[in-house]
């Protein structure tokens, strides 16, 4: 006999769990279905272990600046990679346990540890059983892409799914794909002592579209590891190691980290039974504000959408999908301002409207290089650039690209300001503490201010009572 | 023959230089008068050298966490104090040069390197000459307080005026006065290897009024150095060293850092000739929004006001005083939201309305302890607390007290939000990246949200299109 529920959620990752929290407020009739490894991508193999690796790399790398500060003995520091990897896993386990204890651990028969397959827009097949659901939420996440023929190299070509399971670090490594993950892990591994070569078939890194930010990022990160851009990589065996070739450059390495993006987990999900068109990735069209798939009683949220694969966006989408799955009519919500942070050192952050979507005729750009910024100089991290975009007619902030120490924090300030529709002049009235990295942003705003057509009364920093 | 100018500015520090930048836009007829050492307090003996010392202390202290990360050899690191102090002075000189090159270096006879004394509200005596000015700006700054009888101990009792000139660090030190400066320098010196005892006659540190934040700050900082609170200190000679006694506690030290606040520089300034009442510090009353002294053609700005002795406030005040000094009628400006940051580790920050000014009947408090915060755990800095205050009727943010890693950045987010009159619900709609310290603030906001009477429709994190 088929089971009947109000809502079925496929996927117990971030989006699925956020959806669940909304669904639970409205009904006790639901199931959460996940046949994969539990714990979110973020906690298991994503944001969290990668941040631990970055932290270890950063702390170890810092010894390079000790001498000028009078700290002696830095050259004798060494990294015990086995212990560092153990430390990463220890913390990773803490984070995964926290996710599980707050979710599936406490669930009874509402949690089904199996794979689901659509039979129709309101019916799933799970482990040979049928589940009828008034609404279904797809939150199946994504999986790292790896070219099929690279599978032949077995555990010498790995993704982040395997990286944090290593017991030892290889001596040499190629990181193929220099988006956020490749760049973060490439730098962290390099700082932990691995000889890393970074390769991407695109001619830019970290998804940076702004050419000046791109140039700065390449200059800074290129000093820590060679970055080969603009040519796809091929891999071949060579004396038990791997030869990686891109264009006319070539290197022999012990391992390859393939960080070439992630593909939506739709295989075997039976989306073809939804009766709507699927794109070449196998995904149906959906409304980004309601997360509804067509006009079906089906919602989609999180990394599986192939868009904005970032935890807080997955959470937002899960919340919207979960909320709408228990409404009579789906409600459209305003997306948050785009905010993407790459935790390299310096941070690379992109906020608001993408560079490629800016209208050159109506956009003003404020820029500052961090060189003379007092606080950055004190930290020994004064290489970087801040670029802020505004509508040049009225000064309304549109976006920013940052390659900067503490860029993650400046990015929050900017995202919040843009989401409120503030202008460059509004920001100039805010307090900027001294000496802070925020003062770098202030300098960029001064540069930007000069390029706005419609100026308020001077002094713009002061607000009449 | 007396010299006649539109505006005379007394003091070439931060407030004076900001004032000058406004005055110059309106007139070429001005003088800047300063008989003291040039370069701002901030660059010479304040924010900047102290931040370098904090950075050195922080980097050296970090070795305590190396082992758990797999970084070996941390126990063999040593601090060469002579070189560290040299490094502090090197950077300090860079900052001072930058201030000078942008200001007095380029001035001709408009700059007068002498002391000024009021003869009347529009007349100064400078080096035996008379200067008539239509408007006069007082921006003479402040000087560290040191009890008169402690002068007898000569260079064994120092202030921040002398601290950064030391060639060697003493083995033991008492830091008397645990406001921002004492606490920052006490921790930095302790981390640099000095055996520090912190003493304050008050029963709280860092000017923290919020009792929970206070408790947390004491717990954390008290682990790095003993903190004796609630009793004033006395000093006596003992075998060529100094015995410092506070209540029934006593310690013998090599040097004392007196960090007991700063007094306005009004001595010899002839303020009694303004013809207005002076308070016990020798200061006239002034309007905090126009910076005008009574209804005189005299303005006052910066640390000399005895209020908000923080660089960005001095800059704001200088700008207002300078602007108003060239207007027919002074204009009142809205003060920025109070923002005070102590750069100890963890940062201690106070934003917005002071705890003592909150109305307990109408205030809701959101709180989070940083213990479980993922990113803080990764950094090994998960001790701390975030307390956010809002009007409990409508959720409008009022203020916050933070004892938290990256507190300086959270404090900017909060100050900017408060200045815009945002509510806790507005903030919950903003993006919070993962994993970030900003998520700690998010948790505090969730706690706060539950205590607000007037709730918007759920889910509060989503904003209708």
């Amino acid at each position: 006999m088929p089971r009947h529920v109000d809502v079925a959620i496929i996927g117990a990752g971030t989006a699925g769990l956020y959806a669940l929290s909304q669904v639970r407020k409205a009904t006790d009739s639901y199931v959460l279905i996940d046949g994969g490894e539990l714990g979110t991508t973020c906690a298991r193999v994503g944001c969290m272990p990668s941040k631990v690796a970055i932290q270890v790399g950063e702390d170890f790398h810092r010894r390079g600046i000790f001498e000028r500060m009078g700290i002696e003995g830095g050259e004798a520091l060494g990294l015990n990679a086995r212990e560092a990897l153990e430390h990463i896993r220890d913390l990773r386990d803490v984070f995964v346990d926290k996710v599980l204890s707050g979710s599936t651990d406490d669930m009874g028969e509402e949690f089904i540890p199996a794979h689901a397959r659509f039979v129709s827009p309101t019916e799933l097949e799970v482990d040979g059983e049928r589940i009828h659901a008034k609404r279904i939420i797809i939150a199946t996440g994504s999986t790292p892409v790896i070219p099929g023929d690279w599978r032949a190299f077995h555990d010498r070509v790995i993704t982040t799914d395997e990286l944090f399971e290593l017991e030892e670090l290889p001596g040499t490594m190629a990181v193929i794909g220099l988006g956020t993950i490749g760049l973060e892990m490439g730098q962290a591994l390099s700082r932990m002592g691995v000889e890393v070569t970074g390769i991407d078939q695109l001619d830019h890194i970290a998804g940076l579209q702004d050419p000046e930010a791109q140039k700065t990022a390449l200059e800074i990160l290129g000093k820590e590891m060679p970055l080969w851009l603009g040519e796809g990589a091929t891999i071949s065996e060579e004396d038990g190691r791997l030869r990686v070739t891109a264009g006319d450059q070539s290197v022999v390495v012990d391992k390859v980290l393939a960080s070439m993006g992630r593909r939506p987990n739709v295989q075997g999900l039976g989306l073809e039974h939804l009766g709507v068109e699927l794109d070449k990735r196998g995904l149906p069209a959906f409304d980004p504000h309601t997360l509804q798939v067509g006009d079906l009683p089906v919602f989609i949220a999180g990394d599986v959408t192939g868009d904005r694969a970032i935890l807080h966006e997955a959470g937002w989408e899960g919340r919207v999908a979960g909320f709408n799955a228990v409404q009579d009519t789906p409600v459209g919500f305003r997306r948050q301002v785009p905010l993407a942070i790459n935790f390299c050192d310096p941070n690379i952050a992109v906020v608001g409207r993408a560079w490629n979507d800016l209208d050159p005729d109506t956009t003003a750009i404020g820029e500052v290089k961090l060189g003379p910024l007092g606080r950055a100089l004190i930290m020994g991290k004064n290489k970087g650039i801040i670029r802020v975009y505004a509508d040049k007619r009225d000064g309304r902030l549109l976006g920013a690209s940052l390659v900067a120490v503490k860029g993650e924090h400046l990015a929050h300030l900017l995202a919040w300001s843009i989401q409120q529709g503030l202008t460059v002049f509004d920001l100039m009235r805010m307090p900027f503490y001294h000496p802070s990295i925020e003062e770098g942003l202030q300098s960029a705003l001064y540069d930007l201010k000069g390029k706005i057509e419609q100026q308020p009364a001077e002094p713009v920093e002061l607000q009449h009572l």
Side-chain angles (χ1 to χ4, degrees), chain A:
Chain A
M1 206 179 67
R3 185 166 169 182
H4 287 264
V5 293
D6 286 346
V7 182
I9 302 170
I10 315 174
T14 298
L17 294 174
Y18 270 84
L20 178 63
S21 72
Q22 292 298 321
V23 169
R24 273 178 165 161
K25 290 182 186 173
T27 177
D28 290 332
S29 168
Y30 58 83
V31 285
L32 177 68
I33 308 166
D34 195 318
E37 197 164 346
L38 292 180
T40 59
T41 297
C42 164
R44 282 193 309 110
V45 293
C47 345
M48 301 315 277
S50 68
K51 291 316 147 296
V52 187
I54 287 170
Q55 184 70 51
V56 172
E58 161 75 13
D59 271 306
F60 187 49
H61 183 73
R62 191 77 185 153
R63 72 194 184 287
I65 209 178
F66 281 179
E67 199 182 334
R68 77 161 199 174
M69 296 182 157
I71 302 175
E72 297 175 337
E75 65 289 346
L77 288 175
L79 189 79
N80 183 322
R82 289 188 77 91
E83 288 190 14
L85 290 162
E86 190 69 36
H87 169 65
I88 294 170
R89 281 190 291 274
D90 282 351
L91 276 183
R92 189 260 329 259
D93 292 345
V94 169
F95 299 127
V96 171
D97 284 351
K98 209 165 97 179
V99 169
L100 296 181
S101 73
S103 59
T104 43
D105 276 2
D106 303 327
M107 291 176 70
E109 61 176 9
E110 279 82 23
F111 177 64
I112 306 175
H115 291 285
R117 197 176 141 274
F118 277 94
V119 178
S120 81
T122 54
E123 194 173 5
L124 297 171
E125 187 179 286
V126 183
D127 243 355
E129 273 190 295
R130 290 290 168 101
I131 296 176
H132 282 272
K134 291 181 191 151
R135 310 285 166 84
I136 298 177
I137 297 171
I138 304 166
T140 48
S142 63
T143 304
V145 167
I146 190 162
D149 56 341
W150 291 5
R151 300 261 175 218
F153 303 110
H154 302 290
D155 66 356
R156 285 174 298 163
V157 176
I158 61 174
T159 69
T160 44
D161 278 356
E162 294 84 31
L163 177 64
F164 305 110
E165 295 303 327
L166 294 179
E167 292 288 331
E168 293 282 1
L169 286 179
T172 54
M173 207 159 180
V175 173
I176 302 179
L178 297 174
T180 294
I181 295 169
L183 215 53
E184 285 184 351
M185 289 303 91
Q187 187 185 41
L189 290 164
S190 164
R191 289 178 163 196
M192 290 166 79
V194 180
E195 210 173 294
V196 172
T197 302
I199 304 172
D200 202 300
Q201 62 183 348
L202 300 176
D203 58 2
H204 61 266
I205 57 174
L208 267 176
Q209 299 172 355
D210 181 318
E212 292 302 319
Q214 174 65 211
K215 203 176 110 198
T216 304
L218 275 178
E219 271 171 21
I220 299 172
L221 293 167
K223 281 187 186 145
E224 292 195 43
M225 52 186 172
L227 299 173
W228 300 350
L229 301 184
E231 300 275 2
T234 58
I235 308 179
S236 58
E237 282 272 351
E238 185 163 313
D239 302 331
R241 298 173 76 208
L242 298 177
R243 174 168 290 281
V244 181
T245 304
D248 48 12
Q249 294 185 287
S250 189
V251 65
V252 176
V253 297
D254 299 318
K255 275 196 196 287
V256 167
L257 176 68
S259 44
M260 306 159 80
R262 303 176 66 91
R263 59 169 177 72
N265 290 335
V266 292
Q267 218 176 357
L269 197 55
L271 293 184
E272 61 279 12
H273 297 294
L274 290 181
V276 294
E277 202 176 332
L278 304 179
D279 67 16
K280 60 183 177 188
R281 297 167 302 175
L283 289 177
F286 64 94
D287 180 328
H289 302 287
T290 62
L291 280 315
Q292 187 178 17
V293 173
D295 54 3
L296 301 177
V298 175
F299 299 85
I300 187 166
D303 289 4
V304 67
T305 64
D307 197 25
R308 304 193 186 206
I310 292 174
L311 184 124
H312 76 275
E313 295 278 3
W316 187 93
E317 292 177 354
R319 191 173 267 139
V320 170
F323 180 80
N324 277 334
V326 291
Q327 306 302 309
D328 292 333
T329 310
V331 179
F333 293 102
R334 191 180 148 199
R335 302 284 319 204
Q336 292 179 318
V337 164
L339 169 62
I341 298 172
N342 175 320
F343 290 92
C344 276
D345 172 25
N347 296 160
I348 300 173
V350 178
V351 186
R353 195 175 299 174
W355 172 263
N356 290 347
D357 296 337
L358 294 171
D359 174 358
D361 290 338
T362 59
T363 303
I365 301 168
E367 175 185 305
V368 71
K369 295 200 166 77
L370 296 189
L373 181 64
R375 187 70 182 287
L377 199 60
I378 289 172
M379 301 172 82
K381 289 174 177 282
N382 60 327
K383 298 211 189 317
I385 194 169
I386 297 174
R387 304 248 299 167
V388 186
Y389 322 130
D391 188 314
K392 78 172 174 193
R393 295 162 297 191
D394 58 6
R396 194 169 45 87
L397 293 168
L398 299 174
S401 294
L402 317 170
V403 181
V405 56
K406 307 295 169 205
E408 54 173 314
H409 307 296
L410 304 184
H412 276 89
L413 277 175
L414 283 162
W416 291 24
S417 298
I418 293 169
Q419 189 154 320
Q420 292 168 78
L422 299 186
T423 67
V424 58
F425 308 110
D426 292 325
L427 261 56
M428 297 182 83
R429 291 178 198 119
M430 301 292 168
F432 289 83
Y433 211 79
H434 181 73
S436 68
I437 300 297
E438 282 77 1
E439 290 177 297
L441 171 57
Q442 190 180 31
S443 297
L445 295 173
Y446 268 98
D447 185 51
L448 181 56
K449 160 187 176 286
K451 298 168 180 170
I452 306 302
E453 288 163 5
Q454 192 182 312
Q455 296 272 335
E458 287 282 345
V460 296
E461 302 88 350
L462 303 179
Q463 194 170 4
H464 282 242
L465 262 189

